[in-house]
Amino acid sequence: MFIEIENIKYNIEVKGEGKPIICLHGFSEDISTWEFIKLDGHQLILIDLIGHGKSDKPKLRKYYSLKVMLRHLNKLIFQLGLKKYSMLGYSMGGRIALAYALIYPKEIDKLILESASYGEDGVLNRLKRRRNDLVLAKQIEKNGIEWFSEYWSHLNIFESQKRLSRSMINEINKRRLGNSTRALSNTLKITGQGKFPCLKGKIIKLSISILYISGEYDKKYRVVGKNFGKLNKNVKHVIIDGCGHNTHIEDSNSFIKVLNKFLKN
C-alpha cells in the first residue's frame, strides 16, 4: 500500500501479526531485502525509504534531508495507528533508526541495529567521508546505474556475499539495478555518512533495550558494535559467524534466532 506524507508517496508492506516492528532497509536496497525475515509474535512493517523502491524519488533535495525523513516517518507511523513499536534498521536504515529513536524515544519499545554507524566521528573523518560521498554521487550521475551496481557489489564489506547462491546474488543485483541514479545521488549528498550528524555522544541518552548485530567478517562494524556497548549499558552486541555486512541476507536463520531471543526478553 501507499501512504502520502506532504505530497510524497511511501510504499509500505505489512507482514505477520503481533507487536509491530518498523523495518528500514539500507542504501540502494528496498523492502524486499526483508523477504525471508519472519519473527514470532511480531508484525513487520516494511517501508521503502524516500528515493528507494516504489516510494517517490523527488528531484528536490530537501526531501532527502534527515529532518524531513524523520518527520515523514513519524507521520507515516502515526497514520498507521501505532503508538508503541520497535524499530529495526540495516546499515543506512540503522543510522536513520538511531536518529529516530533519539527524537521519539517514548514511542520506541526496542531498537535493533544491524551493521549501522552512529555517524563519522571527528572533523577530518567527516570531511573526508563527505568528499568521498560527493565523488561517488557524481560518478553515479555520470556512469549510470549499471556502473553503480558493479561498483557497489565489489566493495570489501560485501565480499562474503559471493558465497551466496546465484539466485540470491541475482536478487540483490536486481534491487540495485532498480534504483534511480538521481535518487541515489541525492541520498549520498544530503544524508550520506559525511553529512549525517555524529550521534556517538547521544547514545547514552537511550534507556530502551538495544540490540546491535554485526557479521564476523565485517571488521569495521564489529568495532562499531563494540563501541555501542561501551557507550550505553543497554546495548547487547551479537556477532553472527560466517557473515559480512548484511547478516539478515547472508544467514537469515541465525539472524532470526538472535532477534527472537532478544525480543522475548
Side-chain angles (χ1 to χ4, degrees):
M1 62 177 169
F2 290 90
I3 292 181
E4 185 171 320
I5 307 293
E6 297 176 8
N7 298 317
I8 300 296
K9 291 181 181 178
Y10 290 90
N11 180 45
I12 300 163
E13 182 179 332
V14 178
K15 292 174 54 178
E17 297 181 353
K19 295 181 179 179
I21 301 180
I22 309 296
C23 301
L24 306 179
H25 59 77
F27 179 69
S28 77
E29 290 274 346
D30 61 38
I31 61 175
S32 65
T33 190
W34 307 111
E35 179 182 1
F36 301 107
I37 305 304
K38 183 178 180 181
L39 302 174
D40 297 338
H42 286 82
Q43 182 180 71
L44 303 185
I45 299 168
L46 318 179
I47 301 174
D48 274 337
L49 294 167
I50 192 164
H52 289 75
K54 295 179 182 177
S55 290
D56 281 351
K57 303 169 180 63
K59 293 181 180 179
L60 292 178
R61 292 182 184 177
K62 69 175 184 178
Y63 289 111
Y64 296 84
S65 73
L66 181 61
K67 182 178 180 180
V68 171
M69 279 189 182
L70 298 181
R71 185 175 74 244
H72 282 198
L73 268 176
N74 189 250
K75 288 187 174 184
L76 187 157
I77 292 167
F78 178 79
Q79 284 200 27
L80 290 169
L82 303 180
K83 294 182 179 179
K84 195 77 172 180
Y85 45 88
S86 294
M87 188 166 275
L88 160 63
Y90 159 67
S91 199
M92 179 187 78
R95 293 201 309 271
I96 294 170
L98 175 61
Y100 185 96
L102 286 165
I103 294 180
Y104 305 103
K106 293 182 179 179
E107 298 182 20
I108 303 294
D109 183 16
K110 294 183 177 181
L111 180 63
I112 303 146
L113 305 174
E114 177 192 3
S115 307
S117 170
Y118 39 63
E120 291 290 340
D121 187 21
V123 175
L124 292 180
N125 286 336
R126 290 179 61 75
L127 287 174
K128 180 179 178 180
R129 185 55 188 260
R130 190 175 301 180
R131 183 171 62 248
N132 291 342
D133 286 346
L134 181 59
V135 169
L136 178 56
K138 290 181 177 179
Q139 287 178 321
I140 293 172
E141 293 170 358
K142 178 182 177 181
N143 300 321
I145 201 65
E146 289 81 9
W147 174 88
F148 165 75
S149 180
E150 182 72 13
Y151 166 81
W152 202 247
S153 65
H154 283 86
L155 292 178
N156 289 335
I157 57 173
F158 299 126
E159 180 68 25
S160 54
Q161 289 186 9
K162 293 179 180 179
R163 304 178 182 186
L164 295 172
S165 67
R166 174 49 54 185
S167 62
M168 184 68 76
I169 291 173
N170 288 340
E171 281 299 312
I172 294 171
N173 289 335
K174 182 180 177 181
R175 282 199 290 272
R176 289 176 181 150
L177 289 169
N179 280 283
S180 155
T181 54
R182 180 184 65 210
L184 291 184
S185 177
N186 282 342
T187 301
L188 285 168
K189 290 176 180 177
I190 309 304
T191 46
Q193 288 211 51
K195 292 292 290 287
F196 199 90
C198 181
L199 304 175
K200 186 176 181 180
K202 297 183 178 181
I203 293 172
I204 193 173
K205 296 179 181 180
L206 292 171
S207 58
I208 57 177
S209 294
I210 304 170
L211 172 64
Y212 190 99
I213 299 175
S214 55
E216 175 189 3
Y217 304 136
D218 192 354
K219 181 178 178 181
K220 176 180 178 179
Y221 287 93
R222 285 204 329 265
V223 173
V224 173
K226 186 176 182 180
N227 288 341
F228 263 91
K230 292 178 180 178
L231 294 166
N232 190 314
K233 63 181 181 180
N234 297 313
V235 176
K236 177 179 177 58
H237 179 205
V238 176
I239 298 171
I240 297 182
D241 294 338
C243 291
H245 192 62
N246 194 328
T247 63
H248 74 265
I249 282 183
E250 295 179 47
D251 189 348
S252 58
N253 289 332
S254 294
F255 183 83
I256 290 170
K257 287 179 182 178
V258 169
L259 260 64
N260 278 331
K261 183 177 180 180
F262 172 72
L263 293 167
K264 287 177 181 177
N265 294 334

